[in-house]
Amino acid sequence: MIPFKRVFDENRGLVIPVAAALVLNVIAYVAIVYPLGVRVRNAGRREETAASELLAAQRDDQASAAMLQGRDRTDTALKAFYKDVLPNSLASANRITYLRLAQLAEQHHLRYSHRSAEPETNPQGPLTRLRITTVLEGDYQNVRRFIYQLESGPDFIVIDSMTLNQDPEAGAPLQLSLSLSTFYQPEHGA
């Protein structure tokens, strides 16, 4: 066994400075290095949190930019719809629907027996509805083609309801009663 007391006594000039340096290192570690390490770790956590919050904010910014862009596209499309598709007055709406219905009826060999139109204002919006009722007569295939072309045509005419009747008399034509709507923006002051 090594006699530590003798070794210590013989090397006192060397052991005391080394022991003092070791104690100073431990004190420096406890007083300076460890607290700095804790600060660095906390700063790293704060940096990670800030980075994730930045990513979330960037995603929110992109989503709101996309929403604004979508709203702008919708506004543009709606203005184009109002300008290019919908009639701009009651007279224009009457003319367009009457002409379209007459052309389709003639094209499909249907006969008009009645037509009426009545505007209906909407107090909650800028559009006025033109309600149209009409009665046509013809055979079943022509009635089907008429309805298909009316629904798929370029004019904004909505079929609200329809009724198909036939007199019990043999050979009588089918009678199609339609309730239609179209919308228009009334002229200013109208």
Side-chain angles (χ1 to χ4, degrees):
M1 186 160 212
I2 301 176
F4 287 110
K5 182 161 173 43
R6 192 181 99 195
V7 170
F8 178 73
D9 287 338
E10 289 176 6
N11 296 314
R12 184 181 300 236
L14 182 65
V15 171
I16 290 177
V18 169
L22 182 64
V23 168
L24 287 175
N25 275 339
V26 169
I27 291 171
Y29 177 78
V30 169
I32 299 170
V33 174
Y34 181 75
L36 286 177
V38 170
R39 286 184 189 163
V40 167
R41 283 191 297 276
N42 288 341
R45 284 189 214 119
R46 285 192 307 268
E47 181 181 353
E48 289 173 2
T49 302
S52 67
E53 288 175 356
L54 176 63
L55 285 175
Q58 287 172 338
R59 281 192 301 267
D60 289 348
D61 182 52
Q62 289 172 347
S64 63
M67 186 173 60
L68 285 173
Q69 188 178 31
R71 188 194 71 199
D72 291 343
R73 277 194 307 261
T74 301
D75 285 347
T76 302
L78 187 59
K79 286 176 185 173
F81 176 75
Y82 283 168
K83 181 180 178 239
D84 299 335
V85 176
L86 290 183
N88 59 4
S89 68
L90 175 59
S92 178
N94 266 322
R95 188 174 48 251
I96 288 171
T97 56
Y98 184 77
L99 178 63
R100 180 74 174 147
L101 292 173
Q103 287 172 340
L104 286 176
E106 183 178 324
Q107 179 183 353
H108 295 290
H109 309 292
L110 299 176
R111 187 173 52 98
Y112 262 116
S113 65
H114 171 73
R115 180 186 186 276
S116 67
E118 182 179 319
E120 180 181 290
T121 58
N122 179 3
Q124 299 170 348
L127 299 179
T128 299
R129 177 186 214 163
L130 179 63
R131 288 189 173 270
I132 304 147
T133 56
T134 187
V135 178
L136 302 163
E137 293 178 349
D139 69 24
Y140 180 74
Q141 290 302 323
N142 289 337
V143 166
R144 281 187 52 204
R145 288 185 195 109
F146 172 86
I147 293 169
Y148 173 77
Q149 287 215 328
L150 181 63
E151 286 184 325
S152 61
D155 298 313
F156 191 76
I157 300 172
V158 179
I159 298 175
D160 296 323
S161 67
M162 69 175 103
T163 307
L164 196 57
N165 292 318
Q166 186 174 26
D167 283 336
E169 177 183 316
L174 290 175
Q175 195 173 51
L176 175 66
S177 300
L178 287 172
S179 176
L180 308 167
S181 294
T182 191
F183 296 85
Y184 65 94
Q185 283 191 305
E187 299 173 57
H188 297 289

